[in-house]
Amino acid sequence: MKERTLSSRAHILSGSYDPAFARRVAREIDLPLEDTLLTHFANSEVKAEVPAVRGDHVFVIQSHGAPVNEAIMEQAAIINAARRASARDVTAITPYRGYGRADRPDNSHESYMGPLAMRILEAAGANRIIEVDPHAGQSAGFLRDVGTEYTPIPSYPAIQEYIAEHFITGEDDNVCIVSPDSGRAKLNRRYAEYFNRPRAIVDKIRTGANQTEVMNVIGEVAHMHCIMIDDMIDTAGTIVEGAAALRARGAEDVTVIATHGIFSGPAIDRLTAAKQDGTISHIAVSDTLRLPDNTPDDLVETITVAPLVARAISNVFHDQSVSGMYR
């Protein structure tokens, strides 16, 4: 009898939120973005059908941008279809994961959506979840099955490259790395140490959901080119107030960089006004989320993280470490 040779292929699939991003990832590793049939019923239910994937590795790429719940259920449906089609391995890649900020409940009578959203993907059949720049480190403990892997991908290699290309010009460039709050200070220390530049912190008090009150700036920012880096911009209230505080204390200009450009509600109007009046000079976000349709062409620059996601896919497929890429 002829000896049977076992082989496995990688398949890149995507939901409907941003197939262009998935296509960029696929191109980085010379793979096609394969067709997934998504059926949306009149009552908003969804059904997914995937190509032949028996015995293969499947990577389902979907950011959970608005409408968030629809994006999550689409990805869960594709994962479940791949698992039912006898895929050997199913990885959920969520460049931006919905409910990432719901990392702890305020009391015992409210829902705990952070773990719930991740467990939906796990229950659908994902045996691995990869996301870019999670909001909370405790996300790794949200999954029920100890066999389900969780791996965060940091965006700092792409952001460091962007900063080096656009702002680091020499020892006398007067660049200062700014944290928009104390919680971001530890992460932003990496940038300050990498570029050997001073750093500052905007000290703030949050007064409610999507509302903050800037209290003070820790560090010297007068006559400095401030680069304020955060993991996300939602309604842009926090980042605009932080930039205004820096400018009021003598900063030469303020550049704002974030991994996830959520840009909810008044965000685009606020950022447009801040750029027009000189509060903010430059704005850049990664491509984990689509820019809103009403975004002016010259308002926001995009930093791609597709190569980072592609490298993670390649390492998973070849049974190599993903977290080890960033040590």
Side-chain angles (χ1 to χ4, degrees):
M1 181 181 293
K2 185 177 178 180
E3 184 178 352
R4 188 170 124 186
T5 302
L6 297 178
S7 62
S8 180
R9 295 175 52 226
H11 301 264
I12 309 294
L13 307 179
S14 172
S16 66
Y17 173 74
D18 193 2
F21 177 82
R23 199 169 289 112
R24 289 194 292 273
V25 172
R27 277 200 301 263
E28 289 285 335
I29 45 180
D30 295 322
L31 288 174
L33 175 62
E34 299 185 46
D35 292 334
T36 301
L37 178 60
L38 287 167
T39 302
H40 291 269
F41 297 97
N43 66 348
S44 78
E45 291 179 356
V46 64
K47 179 177 73 172
E49 185 176 343
V50 301
V53 296
R54 178 180 292 274
D56 290 341
H57 291 255
V58 176
F59 299 88
V60 183
I61 302 175
Q62 175 95 312
S63 274
H64 301 159
V68 174
N69 297 332
E70 180 178 307
I72 292 172
M73 291 309 296
E74 269 193 10
Q75 189 173 31
I78 298 168
I79 290 167
N80 188 250
R83 183 59 72 190
R84 288 173 52 79
S86 301
R88 170 185 169 186
D89 195 79
V90 182
T91 299
I93 296 180
T94 59
Y96 171 74
R97 176 173 56 84
Y99 296 100
R101 287 171 288 181
D103 55 336
R104 59 183 180 275
D106 291 328
N107 60 69
S108 60
H109 293 261
E110 71 177 37
S111 59
Y112 194 7
M113 295 304 297
L116 181 58
M118 289 184 70
R119 289 170 187 172
I120 288 173
L121 303 181
E122 182 183 34
N127 55 287
R128 183 182 298 102
I129 296 176
I130 295 176
E131 68 172 304
V132 179
D133 270 5
H135 184 73
Q138 61 262 42
S139 300
F142 287 169
L143 299 169
R144 289 191 181 278
D145 190 337
V146 295
T148 305
E149 298 178 22
Y150 170 80
T151 306
I153 301 176
S155 65
Y156 68 78
I159 292 177
Q160 282 178 178
E161 182 178 340
Y162 177 84
I163 292 173
E165 180 181 347
H166 291 83
F167 303 104
I168 303 300
T169 59
E171 294 182 2
D172 58 348
D173 53 25
N174 288 337
V175 166
C176 179
I177 304 298
V178 180
S179 303
D181 54 46
S182 57
R184 184 73 188 183
K186 182 178 179 180
L187 293 173
N188 281 1
R189 184 186 302 134
R190 176 189 295 274
Y191 295 101
E193 292 176 349
Y194 181 83
F195 292 113
N196 192 26
R197 296 298 187 274
R199 60 195 181 100
I201 302 172
V202 178
D203 184 28
K204 68 182 183 182
I205 292 179
R206 186 169 293 278
T207 57
N210 300 120
Q211 298 177 4
T212 60
E213 179 183 351
V214 174
M215 300 298 291
N216 197 12
V217 175
I218 303 170
E220 183 56 52
V221 298
H223 311 297
M224 303 294 284
H225 300 287
C226 293
I227 302 177
M228 186 157 50
I229 309 170
D230 207 350
D231 64 329
M232 64 179 66
I233 301 175
D234 190 353
T235 61
T238 298
I239 214 76
V240 170
E241 289 174 2
L246 295 171
R247 292 285 282 156
R249 286 156 180 80
E252 185 71 20
D253 52 51
V254 179
T255 292
V256 170
I257 300 176
T259 304
H260 309 297
I262 301 172
F263 297 146
S264 302
I268 295 300
D269 290 339
R270 284 174 173 170
L271 292 172
T272 299
K275 201 167 181 181
Q276 288 174 345
D277 66 21
T279 301
I280 296 175
S281 298
H282 300 89
I283 306 165
V285 297
S286 84
D287 54 356
T288 59
L289 290 165
R290 296 188 319 244
L291 295 178
D293 293 337
N294 65 331
T295 307
D297 291 340
D298 59 348
L299 181 65
V300 181
E301 294 185 43
T302 301
I303 305 168
T304 186
V305 294
L308 300 177
V309 174
R311 187 179 173 192
I313 289 174
S314 179
N315 280 28
V316 168
F317 181 71
H318 292 101
D319 201 23
Q320 298 173 351
S321 172
V322 175
S323 58
M325 293 161 38
Y326 309 102
R327 291 174 185 162

